[in-house]
Amino acid sequence: MFPEVDHIERHEDTLTLSLSISEDVYYFAGHFPNAPILAGVVQVHWALHYLHKHFAMQISDYKAIDALKFQVIIAPNSKVKLCLKKINEYKFSFSYSSENGSHSSARVVYQ
């Protein structure tokens, strides 16, 4: 259900996770059988999961996802970085990137 976390780097209010997203990840099954991609809703779900795990933000407490942008698809067997940044007590940003560019980004609002 989740990618393999290869490395975690934390600096003050920023956390960067290096992720290996294998072709065996559950979410690739059936999401375009001939050309699987990681759905945007999964990228948001993973960001919420890691905000909960590393910043103790409850997934059920988020109120909005602002400025959501998807730029480059994430294919099976990708290595990406997920950057989580605390903007203030109730707002965080996330972004996925790799050598292929910026995949997606948004802000998560909890209040």
Side-chain angles (χ1 to χ4, degrees):
M1 301 268 310
F2 293 96
E4 183 176 331
V5 177
D6 298 322
H7 181 74
I8 299 173
E9 192 173 319
R10 188 169 202 144
H11 296 286
E12 296 180 15
D13 290 336
T14 302
L15 182 80
T16 303
L17 297 102
S18 297
L19 306 174
S20 291
I21 306 173
S22 81
E23 63 188 7
D24 297 333
V25 168
Y26 168 79
Y27 299 108
F28 287 123
H31 204 279
F32 308 128
N34 295 326
I37 63 170
L38 189 66
V41 69
V42 176
Q43 295 173 49
V44 172
H45 173 68
W46 287 355
L48 293 172
H49 168 79
Y50 291 115
L51 283 168
H52 171 69
K53 186 172 182 177
H54 295 283
F55 290 94
M57 302 306 293
Q58 296 301 314
I59 293 172
S60 61
D61 289 347
Y62 88 89
K63 302 296 182 211
I65 305 290
D66 291 340
L68 182 59
K69 297 177 186 164
F70 297 102
Q71 292 105 342
V72 177
I73 65 166
I74 297 176
N77 300 315
S78 294
K79 292 200 177 282
V80 301
K81 291 191 183 290
L82 169 58
C83 181
L84 304 170
K85 292 182 184 178
K86 183 176 183 178
I87 298 169
N88 63 42
E89 186 177 355
Y90 300 105
K91 189 181 286 187
F92 293 79
S93 68
F94 73 83
S95 62
Y96 289 88
S97 63
S98 73
E99 62 185 21
N100 296 321
S102 177
H103 296 281
S104 61
S105 61
R107 289 186 302 267
V108 181
V109 181
Y110 287 91
Q111 180 182 351

